């Protein structure tokens, strides 16, 4: 199975957390086949919004959600 990764982000209530203000307005950057490409996309999205402390992007390990019993 591929080790898929999702990169998304949006405005958060507190820059130290992951409580998104409006989940319907989240920006999906994409789904990537490996962590390296997901990290590259995450860095680009985060850099685009570096001056906005309330914007946050994250990488989600989809393969861990799809197959929780498998550990790498």
């Amino acid at each position: 199975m591929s080790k898929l990764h999702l990169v998304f982000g949006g405005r958060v209530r507190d820059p130290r957390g992951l409580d998104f203000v409006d989940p319907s307005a989240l920006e999906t950057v994409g789904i990537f086949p490996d962590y390296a490409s997901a990290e590259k996309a995450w860095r680009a999205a985060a850099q685009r919004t570096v001056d906005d402390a309330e914007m946050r992007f994250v990488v989600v390990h989809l393969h861990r959600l799809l197959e929780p019993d498998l550990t790498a």
Side-chain angles (χ1 to χ4, degrees):
M1 180 173 121
S2 300
K3 294 199 173 186
L4 299 174
H5 297 79
L6 167 66
V7 179
F8 73 92
R11 189 161 304 285
V12 291
R13 294 187 196 287
D14 180 349
R16 296 168 292 178
L18 287 173
D19 184 16
F20 290 99
V21 173
D22 184 4
S24 67
L26 291 175
E27 176 186 341
T28 302
V29 177
I31 297 175
F32 301 89
D34 54 56
Y35 184 79
S37 58
E39 182 182 25
K40 184 176 179 181
W42 168 80
R43 286 185 187 280
Q47 184 63 40
R48 236 182 332 113
T49 61
V50 71
D51 292 331
D52 187 348
E54 294 177 342
M55 286 297 287
R56 181 138 185 209
F57 286 86
V58 295
V59 176
V60 177
H61 301 269
L62 289 179
H63 60 279
R64 291 181 184 169
L65 295 173
L66 296 171
E67 295 286 339
D69 295 333
L70 296 178
T71 55

